[in-house]
Every structure is written in C-alpha cells, then in structure tokens.
Amino acid sequence: MNPYELDTKQLLSKFHTNKNGLSSKKAKRRLEEFGLNTIENEDKKNYIKEYLKQYIQFFAILLEVAALLSFIADHYVPDQGSDILGTAILAAVVINATFAFWQDYKADQAMEALLRLIPTLVNVKRDDEKVTLDASKLVPGDILIIEEGDKIAADAVIIENSSLYINTSALNGESKPSRRESENKKVKLPLEAKNMIFAGTTAVSGSAIAVVTATAHATQFGKIATLTKNVKKTITPIQKEIIRITQILTLIAVMMGIVFFILGIFSDRNILIASIFALSLIVANVPEGLMPTITLALSMASQRMAKRNALIKNLDSVQTLGSATVICTDKTGTLTKNEMTLKEIYLSSGEKITIEGVGYETKGVFRYENSNDRSKIRLENLLYAGLLNSRATIENGNFFGDPTELSIVAAAKKMGLDPKNYKKISENPFTGERKMMSSLYTTDKNEQILYIKGAPEVILQRSSSYIDKNSSIQTLDQKEKEKIKEQLDIFENNAYRVLAIGINSNNSEDDIVFLGLVAIMDLPRAEVKEALVQCAEAGIRTMMLTGDNHKTAAAVAKKIGLKYDKIVTGEEIAKFTDTELEEILKDNDILFARMESNQKLKIATALQKNGEVVAMTGDGVNDAPSLKRADIGIAMGQSGTEVAKEAADMILLDDNFRSIVAAIEEGRTVYFNIKKFVTYILSSNVPEIVPYILQFFFKIPLPLSVIQILSIDLGSDMLPGLALGSEKPEANIMKRPPVGKNEKILDWEVFKRGYFFIGLIEAAAAMAAFISFLLLHGWEYGVVDLNDPLLHRQAMTMTLLGAVTCQLFNAWTMRSWEYSAFSIGWNTNKLLLIAMGIEILWIWMLLNVESVQMIFNTAYVPMGDLWILLPFPIILFVSHELYKYRIRKKKNL
Ligand code: ATP
C-alpha cells in the first residue's frame, strides 16, 4: 500500500516512528542508510571539456591559424625567426586559454560557494522536542512541522492539518495554491494525493504536521529533477551586452585585418607575411578577455558582499544595486534588533506594571503601580490570554515563532504560568490585514473562551466591556475608552509596539471584554543611524514600511534618525489611485504605517513608474510579489520565510539594514571597476594599431612586431586589468549620486577614454619613442630596411616600452573612474602592487635577458636613451587626472 493510503497508526508503524519524532540515534542510522536529503546536480561541469573548449574559441582559432602560417612561412623561408614566432603564438594561445578558464572556474566556484550559504531550514520533532535542522538531514520517518512560508523539503503524509495550502508550481506548473486535507480520497498517482506534501513545494498558508515518507531522489521532485538535469543557464543582460560589444569590436577588427591584408598584397608583401600581419592586427583589436574578466569581477564582488552579509542570487543584481535610488525597508529586524521584550502592561482596571529583563528571558520582576490585592490575578488572566493565543513557544531555552508573541510568552513564563489544563479547539490566525488573532479554548473550569489579541484600535473598536478594579465586568463607555487611548498614546510615543488583549465567552471576535494593553520594545540597531546618513549622502532615499501604528513608527524613526516628509497609513494608501500615489512619492519621503504587506507591491510599482530603482525588503509569504517586482528584492536570512528567500534577488544573512547599504556600495564599486579595466584594456590597443597604420603610409621601418603585440595583450595587460577589476570601494563612492539606470557599463565614455584619449597618448608615446630613438642614432626618414638589425630591435623595444610604461601609469590613474588617484591609499590593492612589480621585472627582462629578447624581438637599450620614454607616462597621468577633475566639476561630485 502507498503511504498516503494508510491511516495515521499504520503510517507511523510503517516508518517505525511516533508523533514525538524519531530518536536522534535512529535518525542518525537512517541518515547513513538513506543518505543526505539533497538532489545532486548530476550534470556536474566537466572541467577538462571546459578547458579544451577555450581552444576552439574564435580568438584562439585566429591565433592558431597565425601560428600555423608562421610555421609554413618558416618552412619556405627559413631562418627569419618565423618558427620562434609560431611557437610564441602557440604559447600565447595556451596562456590565454588557461587564464580564461581559470577566471571562469573561479567565478563558478564563487557562485557555488554562495549558493551553499543559503541553507534550507526545517522544523521537526526529534526526541520529543521541536528542533530546527538543515533540510539535508531529513530522513524518512521524521515528524515534519510545517508553518506558513516554509519550504517543503521532503515528501510527507499529513497527520495533522490546519488549513494548509501549498504551492506546487515547481512540480506541476500550477500557480494556484492547493488545499491539503488530512484524509486521502482514492487517487491513482501520489501527486494527486491531497494528504501529501511534496519536496520542492512551499507552504503558502496554514500549518500541518506530517510524516516524511521519501527524501532526496526518492521524492517526486527528485524524480523530475533528474530528468531535467540538462537545463541551460540563461544569459544575463550584462553578459548579453558584453557579447554584443565583443561582436562589434571583432567585426571592426576583422574588417581592418582584411583591409591591411589587401594593402599588404598590393605593396608586394609575401602573402604569408601579409596574412600573419592581418591576423595579428585582428588579435590586437579583439577584446578577448572581456567576458571572463567581467564575470569574475561580478562574482568576486558577490563574494565580498557575502562577507558583508548580503547574499546575491544572480550576478545581474550586483550591477542593479549600484543604481538603487530608493530603499523601502521593513522596520522590525532590519532597522530594529527584532528582540522584542514585553516591558510594560496596562490593565483595564487602571494598573500599570513594569517588567524587568531583556530578550526572551523567563525570569524577571513585576513592579505594580496603582495596584490592589486582586491586581496579580488580573495580570495573570491577561498573560494567560496572551500565552494561550500565541503560536510561539519557548522550549528548553529554544525559541520558536514570531518575536512579538515570544515576548508575551516570555512574560507569561516570568509569571510562572502553565496552561496545561487548557485545550485548544481552534484558531483564527493573525494576518497583517486583520491585525488580530484569536484562539478558542476549553479552560480548566470546562468553559469555552475565545482569547483575542491584536492592534489596539482594532480590538478597542470591537470591545464593549472591560474588567474594573473590583474584577467585575463593566460597559466600556467613551470615557473609559479615552482613558485607554491616553495610555496607548504614551506607549506609542515611546516607540513601543502595542497589542490589546481581550476575551469573549461566545466564540465571537466582537463584543470583546477588554483586558489591557501590552507594550513591547524592540530596540533600534545601533549601526542603522550611520547607515542612514550614508544613504542620504549617496542620494538614496530611505522609506520605512511598518505594520505598526503611525506614532510608534514616528517614534522609532526619530530614534534612528530617519527623516521623512509625511506619514501615510495603509488605510490612506488603499484610497489613493495609482497616480495619486506616484505623485506623493515623487517629492516626498514617506513613512508608511499600519501597512498591509500586499500594499508593498503598489508602492514598488508607483516608485518604478517615477523612474526610481527600488530595493525592497520583505520576509513573509505575502511579500513575495513585491520582492519579485522590486528591482532588488531583499529577503531576511534569519527571520524570512523560505518563500520570501526564493522570490528575492538578495538575502540578508544578518537581517540588518546596514548590510543593504554595504551591498549597494559594492554594487557601485563593481560597476566602476568594470569600466576601469575595460578602458585600461582598450587603451593599449591604440599603440598596437597606430604603428602599423603609420608604417603603411609613411616610409619608416616596422615599429612593433606581432609577438610584441601579443606580449602586451596576453602578458603585461592581464594582471593589472584583473587588479583594476577588484579595486576596493573608494572612499567617495557613497558620496556620489546613484548610477543612472540607463547608463550602460560599457558606454561611449569607456570607448572615448580608452581609444581616443588615453590610447592616443600611448600611441604618441610609442611612436615618439621609436622615431626619436632612430633619429638619435643616425636614421633618416625614408629608410625602411635598416641595415643594423640590433638598431631595429632596440627601436622596436622603445615602441614596446612606450606602450608598456604608459600602461603602468594608466593603471594607477585608472584606479578611480571619477576621483583623484591620490584619494585612494597607495597600498589598498595588493594585486595591483604585485602586477606593477611583475611589470617592472618584465621590462627589465625585455632589456636584459637574452632568451626573452630572442622571443620578443627586444634588445638592451642604454639608460642614456631610455629617458625618451619619461615624459609620456607623466603626460598621460596628469591629463587623465585633469580630465577627471573636469568631470567632477561638471557632475558636481
Ligand atoms: P514591521 O515590519 O514593522 O514589523 P509588520 O508589517 O511586520 O511591521 P505586523 O506584524 O503586520 O507588522 O503587525 C501589525 C500590528 O498588528 C502590530 O502593530 C500589532 O499591534 C499587531 N500584531 C502584530 N503581531 C501580532 C500577533 N501575533 N497577534 C496579534 N496582533 C499582532
């Protein structure tokens, strides 16, 4: 018989378990027997294949053809060094393939490491205790406790059900929540069994207790997942942009190659030489390393973000973060600590009670004001009402459930209350819309009582009587209501979250007997104040969205230094038309109070319509649509439901507002870092091409050889480029406005600065070094073939060094895209320092090491000539710094 066809007793005995859960010993044995509850991605990357693929990339093929042609040339015209060229080109292919592969591999590893940081947690019963486990540790027979918002991590059969609805879209594409039942009707397939829940689905509302019947690949999801293991990764917009730009640049390069090939043939060059020449021009212009370097820069940024507690789920969000203009944040947990403590109580009979202690401590002293001899009993009654009407529990120092309720439970424990003689009959759960909840019990005196708690204005409106100081029930008239409201005002103005508690003996949520108010404190996070200042400086608007009353919201905002122009309540939002809301949000920073979570979607949409890039936080099931809608949906890692985490682009591991700001800082940083290294890489293309063009039109010897071009592209540019891609956030990065959402990373500015500004200076440097050196050594214009090969090699060395020394300084001035290079500490980028060291060593080797000279057509140049190189890097540095200064003036930075 299938597990879902068994009754509870049969089911428990089939899986050798009971309602109190497995013993940890048994669970351990089963884990060994059944293995971890994970679905392995069987389509693991074959890294050897990935590496070999690098050799059949367009760019690699070009080089391979060039190498082949060199060997053929050597065969027909030996002793011209074509064999060395061929070997060097092949070496370049290997270096490039290995570097590109390494970057891809690192990026992959970084992403995998990030995904591992998002564990799925589940609640189960083990050894008669409720425990929270990593979902991978679930075994058949485990008693699974499912609450709203949980991800269901194994197949299980329900044994207790409280209106559970699950979303099965991952299994069958059905997006409407599906109601679960305790009993099963006859079905053909397990997937149709209404008393089952399945791995890969989520609990949308309600709760249940279920017996795990299958884990890992034995689950229905596991069976499908193995079938669809070949799902292709989608390409992100930034990758698309890179592909587009690489294609355009490659096309230009190929066209230039063809033109020069034809010109070469017409100018009586050997066809082989002309083709090698054309191919090397193409190579010099193809931005081969862009894609892997950008992917690596993004994934490194996401790793840095993870270290700062912000987990990015897709690389694109890294970039979007840099453009965020508004943060819409929840209050509880994000701006405050989410350590709710019940501090004060007001009884309807007029007593005020202060409770000592912080957090969920279960010991503390109660101090009474205005009390009489029956006050303690009335306080007990109120706390009983709160305790019985809460889902949260404190068991052996472990806390489960909503912090607001936990604070009430903790206070009840401080009073030593024990509700074991009360039997729960039913519950009307709390929702943000109703702002109240109630639970029906049979008491120890065998009466039926409905316990009610909720937002004070909701409860007060439904209350018709109260308990007075003689413990008798009195009508709640207007005067009495005013008295309560006065106290409520005091609580709320002190930043307390306030709940009202009442009872009713007719199982009705109306005609409530009002018992009192409980005031709960949630302290602000100390670091939020500074983060808010940072946001303001960074041109990012921050708006708080809370379910709390506007007075509590205003008091909390004051405590943390959050500025706002207006307070708008959920009730008002409901009345606004979309255009009205857009209009209000245009010029005002709003504090949203008494919000319903489904209104967040409306706010996100209105802000987006106004052109804002919205980062929005959320934790509950109802937040999922707004998290999806926001440009960056941010879920809480600790207090968030699995559903919210799934819908989000980013998960805050510590739930802390400051981490959002840190992530934005990293997002902005990576945006500019990519610009920096692309510009850096593009700049050196110009001194590679210009000498060839000039050589064509003027009567001069060849200034730069093919292998020298490759040595720049695949040698000296690589490490500094990578280093620029990993620059740390600049001190000024959060003092500038957000990056415009339509500003592309690879915009005209990058090409203008790379090719037409810095590139031209570098080309001038290379050519000036070449020509001046020749002129100083007796060359006259018009002599194309030099008789002295050493002189030619020395002159070519000067060209090469002209470009390389400029790139050295380029890397330094490029460390900031807009700010002065001196605004960054000289030793904050270790990789760049290493790259510089290697570069200088490389220059020395080009000048002094014979084997290097042989391969790269260089020669020793005495100090007396090297000074020619000096002015250009300095000109480059100074003019780029001035250029940035002008940008700062223009943009008012
Ligand atoms: P925030 O993000 O600031 O925590 P929220 O949207 O989570 O706000 P809700 O949990 O919806 O706020 O709470 C709204 C109001 O409902 C609270 O001010 C409180 O008066 C009441 N309330 C909160 N939790 C409960 C609960 N478990 N039972 C009854 N009433 C509650």
Side-chain angles (χ1 to χ4, degrees):
M1 257 224 250
N2 287 312
Y4 53 86
E5 289 164 336
L6 303 171
D7 64 27
T8 304
K9 215 168 136 210
Q10 290 168 321
L11 182 71
L12 291 171
S13 94
K14 179 176 163 103
F15 285 89
H16 303 286
T17 184
N18 61 68
K19 282 187 174 176
N20 297 331
L22 296 170
S23 69
S24 19
K25 235 162 95 195
K26 221 178 199 175
K28 195 167 164 241
R29 271 206 312 272
R30 288 199 190 179
L31 191 62
E32 277 160 22
E33 185 186 339
F34 292 95
L36 283 178
N37 178 34
T38 48
I39 295 172
E40 281 294 318
N41 180 7
E42 290 182 14
D43 197 24
K44 271 228 169 326
K45 260 194 176 165
N46 179 342
Y47 282 113
I48 296 181
K49 210 164 115 192
E50 291 295 314
Y51 178 62
L52 293 178
K53 259 199 211 158
Q54 302 288 348
Y55 289 89
I56 47 170
Q57 305 281 352
F58 172 72
F59 172 74
I61 293 174
L62 280 184
L63 282 178
E64 284 153 15
V65 173
L68 183 70
L69 291 176
S70 306
F71 289 122
I72 297 175
D74 185 61
H75 181 75
Y76 289 108
V77 198
D79 298 330
Q80 296 281 310
S82 301
D83 54 340
I84 297 183
L85 178 63
T87 317
I89 294 179
L90 282 185
V93 177
V94 175
I95 292 173
N96 188 59
T98 311
F99 190 63
F101 170 76
W102 174 80
Q103 286 182 311
D104 274 346
Y105 178 76
K106 283 276 284 190
D108 255 18
Q109 297 279 307
M111 270 332 269
E112 267 179 34
L114 287 189
L115 291 181
R116 257 181 271 131
L117 283 176
I118 321 176
T120 303
L121 297 177
V122 292
N123 288 324
V124 296
K125 275 230 154 186
R126 290 233 177 127
D127 301 311
D128 198 14
E129 262 182 38
K130 187 171 172 183
V131 285
T132 306
L133 289 185
D134 192 299
S136 64
K137 303 272 164 50
L138 273 182
V139 292
D142 260 330
I143 304 295
L144 196 56
I145 304 166
I146 301 290
E147 299 272 351
E148 175 179 307
D150 284 354
K151 206 149 132 181
I152 295 162
D155 285 2
V157 174
I158 294 171
I159 52 173
E160 278 175 37
N161 183 13
S162 171
S163 324
L164 180 71
Y165 280 81
I166 61 171
N167 182 330
T168 56
S169 59
L171 274 181
N172 56 9
E174 175 57 58
S175 58
K176 244 182 42 214
S178 151
R179 194 187 154 85
R180 297 291 97 184
E181 281 153 21
S182 310
E183 311 271 298
N184 180 46
K185 307 204 174 74
K186 271 252 162 292
V187 287
K188 285 200 199 94
L189 295 169
L191 268 181
E192 292 166 1
K194 285 278 187 206
N195 61 341
M196 271 200 86
I197 49 177
F198 306 97
T201 63
T202 46
V204 184
S205 62
S207 59
I209 294 177
V211 181
V212 173
T213 54
T215 57
H217 288 283
T219 62
Q220 300 297 319
F221 184 71
K223 287 175 195 161
I224 304 174
T226 359
L227 287 179
T228 57
K229 63 184 180 186
N230 292 324
V231 185
K232 276 226 156 53
K233 258 207 261 175
T234 49
I235 299 181
T236 62
I238 169 85
Q239 283 170 323
K240 271 191 205 142
E241 198 184 322
I242 304 164
I243 292 174
R244 187 178 60 86
I245 283 165
T246 314
Q247 277 170 348
I248 296 174
L249 292 178
T250 307
L251 196 73
I252 297 173
V254 171
M255 280 179 346
M256 267 174 94
I258 294 173
V259 170
F260 275 84
F261 176 73
I262 297 168
L263 287 175
I265 298 210
F266 278 116
S267 64
D268 279 351
R269 286 228 173 106
N270 173 320
I271 189 159
L272 276 173
I273 303 291
S275 0
I276 297 171
F277 179 72
L279 280 174
S280 38
L281 256 186
I282 298 175
V283 168
N285 277 297
V286 176
E288 59 282 354
L290 279 192
M291 182 72 117
T293 316
I294 290 178
T295 315
L296 185 63
L298 288 172
S299 45
M300 287 296 156
S302 56
Q303 260 195 340
R304 279 199 306 276
M305 286 180 186
K307 282 204 190 108
R308 301 174 80 178
N309 290 317
L311 257 190
I312 281 288
K313 281 169 56 194
N314 63 50
L315 284 184
D316 251 351
S317 311
V318 178
Q319 197 194 333
T320 319
L321 272 166
S323 315
T325 58
V326 185
I327 306 176
C328 294
T329 172
D330 288 338
K331 174 177 67 64
T332 307
T334 323
L335 299 172
T336 62
K337 292 182 176 165
N338 205 7
E339 287 166 8
M340 305 256 185
T341 315
L342 208 171
K343 290 280 200 189
E344 295 189 56
I345 295 175
Y346 174 76
L347 295 180
S348 58
S349 37
E351 298 92 328
K352 208 162 151 187
I353 298 122
T354 319
I355 311 172
E356 283 183 359
V358 285
Y360 309 133
E361 284 173 9
T362 47
K363 288 201 173 61
V365 182
F366 292 77
R367 294 190 201 289
Y368 294 75
E369 248 177 62
N370 248 347
S371 62
N372 63 25
D373 53 348
R374 306 201 60 180
S375 295
K376 186 161 180 270
I377 299 176
R378 285 193 293 271
L379 176 63
E380 273 181 6
N381 284 341
L382 173 123
L383 284 175
Y384 258 125
L387 174 67
L388 294 166
N389 184 21
S390 289
R391 300 183 65 94
T393 52
I394 300 180
E395 281 175 25
N396 308 321
N398 295 322
F399 316 113
F400 299 95
D402 171 42
T404 304
E405 293 192 343
L406 277 170
S407 73
I408 300 174
V409 174
K413 295 241 166 187
K414 279 180 190 162
M415 194 104 205
L417 304 188
D418 182 1
K420 69 169 175 276
N421 293 327
Y422 293 72
K423 292 250 153 355
K424 189 166 179 170
I425 305 167
S426 63
E427 177 188 293
N428 297 314
F430 173 79
T431 65
E433 286 70 40
R434 273 164 34 89
K435 295 204 167 24
M436 64 182 290
M437 78 176 276
S438 60
S439 306
L440 186 64
Y441 276 86
T442 321
T443 66
D444 48 356
K445 297 186 189 90
N446 228 354
E447 299 161 319
Q448 277 203 357
I449 294 201
L450 184 71
Y451 296 100
I452 307 138
K453 70 182 190 330
E457 67 269 26
V458 178
I459 303 297
L460 268 179
Q461 210 182 16
R462 292 167 175 262
S463 297
S464 55
S465 54
Y466 73 103
I467 306 275
D468 73 358
K469 59 178 187 287
N470 300 318
S471 293
S472 51
I473 299 181
Q474 302 291 343
T475 312
L476 186 65
D477 56 19
Q478 206 47 41
K479 200 173 130 224
E480 217 39 61
K481 273 194 183 170
E482 284 310 317
K483 234 164 89 187
I484 297 169
K485 279 186 184 155
E486 237 170 69
Q487 186 53 51
L488 177 62
D489 263 2
I490 298 173
F491 281 152
E492 285 173 341
N493 288 332
N494 277 322
Y496 280 120
R497 160 171 280 198
V498 191
L499 264 67
I501 294 181
I503 50 172
N504 177 295
S505 46
N506 297 320
N507 190 13
S508 158
E509 285 183 341
D510 289 315
D511 280 334
I512 297 171
V513 182
F514 185 85
L515 296 184
L517 300 171
V518 293
I520 299 164
M521 181 49 77
D522 182 13
L523 288 174
R525 290 180 183 271
E527 58 283 8
V528 163
K529 225 178 191 155
E530 196 196 320
L532 284 170
V533 173
Q534 254 187 317
C535 282
E537 283 177 351
I540 301 166
R541 302 161 68 188
T542 312
M543 300 197 210
M544 178 166 105
L545 282 62
T546 174
D548 275 340
N549 178 285
H550 68 276
K551 286 185 201 131
T552 309
V556 173
K558 195 169 157 205
K559 273 193 177 181
I560 56 173
L562 175 71
K563 303 215 166 40
Y564 58 90
D565 305 310
K566 260 196 178 118
I567 300 184
V568 171
T569 62
E571 223 173 293
E572 291 169 298
I573 298 173
K575 289 185 199 137
F576 285 147
T577 62
D578 291 350
T579 355
E580 276 169 343
L581 188 59
E582 281 161 35
E583 212 44 53
I584 287 188
L585 283 167
K586 221 171 243 166
D587 316 306
N588 298 295
D589 289 345
I590 310 281
L591 191 64
F592 291 101
R594 280 288 185 248
M595 281 270 307
E596 290 170 17
S597 50
N598 55 22
Q599 293 178 326
K600 281 181 164 181
L601 184 65
K602 204 166 161 182
I603 293 171
T605 316
L607 284 167
Q608 283 173 332
K609 279 249 176 74
N610 287 349
E612 307 274 6
V613 177
V614 184
M616 185 170 260
T617 69
D619 48 14
V621 176
N622 293 344
D623 290 336
S626 56
L627 291 181
K628 281 206 176 120
R629 165 57 59 89
D631 299 277
I632 309 132
I634 305 168
M636 299 299 127
Q638 290 175 1
S639 61
T641 55
E642 296 295 330
V643 172
K645 288 185 207 169
E646 209 138 273
D649 305 298
M650 184 168 111
I651 297 171
L652 285 191
L653 293 176
D654 60 353
D655 294 9
N656 193 338
F657 180 77
R658 186 182 55 182
S659 309
I660 305 177
V661 184
I664 291 180
E665 184 180 47
E666 292 290 351
R668 288 183 175 195
T669 302
V670 77
Y671 173 88
F672 288 108
N673 281 357
I674 294 177
K675 275 180 184 288
K676 292 174 202 171
F677 80 70
V678 175
T679 311
Y680 174 82
I681 287 172
L682 293 184
S683 332
S684 66
N685 279 357
V686 188
E688 290 168 4
I689 305 158
V690 166
Y692 281 90
I693 300 176
L694 293 183
Q695 200 233 347
F696 229 95
F697 295 107
F698 299 96
K699 288 191 162 46
I700 53 170
L702 180 71
L704 198 68
S705 71
V706 171
I707 195 68
Q708 288 172 338
I709 291 181
L710 292 180
S711 85
I712 300 176
D713 269 14
L714 303 177
S716 42
D717 267 5
M718 269 187 180
L719 263 190
L722 199 64
L724 284 176
S726 59
E727 271 289 340
K728 297 217 170 63
E730 293 174 35
N732 294 322
I733 198 78
M734 292 301 269
K735 302 228 157 51
R736 74 180 306 289
V739 174
K741 83 171 164 196
N742 295 324
E743 280 180 45
K744 291 221 155 65
I745 289 194
L746 303 180
D747 57 1
W748 167 235
E749 175 69 24
V750 168
F751 294 96
K752 189 175 81 181
R753 257 200 243 189
Y755 281 139
F756 301 111
F757 175 29
I758 296 173
L760 281 183
I761 298 180
E762 291 193 4
M767 285 317 294
F770 179 72
I771 300 288
S772 341
F773 180 84
L774 282 179
L775 288 174
L776 283 174
H777 289 84
W779 171 76
E780 276 175 20
Y781 180 73
V783 181
V784 175
D785 291 317
L786 294 174
N787 290 332
D788 181 357
L790 178 65
L791 185 69
H792 190 190
R793 275 175 42 194
Q794 282 180 316
M796 288 204 292
T797 309
M798 291 298 281
T799 323
L800 178 62
L801 292 189
V804 173
T805 47
C806 278
Q807 281 291 79
L808 261 177
F809 279 65
N810 185 9
W812 275 100
T813 170
M814 202 49 79
R815 290 187 66 195
S816 178
W817 186 247
E818 293 164 333
Y819 295 97
S820 151
F822 299 106
S823 66
I824 309 170
W826 68 273
N827 61 353
T828 49
N829 188 340
K830 296 275 171 319
L831 186 58
L832 188 66
L833 286 177
I834 295 172
M836 292 291 116
I838 295 177
E839 202 97 322
I840 291 167
L841 180 71
W842 177 239
I843 293 178
W844 180 83
M845 284 166 73
L846 287 171
L847 290 170
N848 295 294
V849 178
E850 209 174 308
S851 49
V852 175
Q853 292 171 344
M854 210 171 79
I855 299 171
F856 292 96
N857 314 124
T858 58
Y860 177 75
V861 181
M863 262 307 177
D865 288 316
L866 285 178
W867 67 264
I868 303 173
L869 300 170
L870 202 61
F872 288 96
I874 298 170
I875 292 173
L876 184 151
F877 190 91
V878 174
S879 48
H880 188 230
E881 287 299 321
L882 287 175
Y883 182 86
K884 290 192 286 183
Y885 175 75
R886 262 194 46 216
I887 291 185
R888 290 202 293 278
K889 279 256 137 358
K890 211 160 85 189
K891 289 196 183 171
N892 238 340
L893 293 177

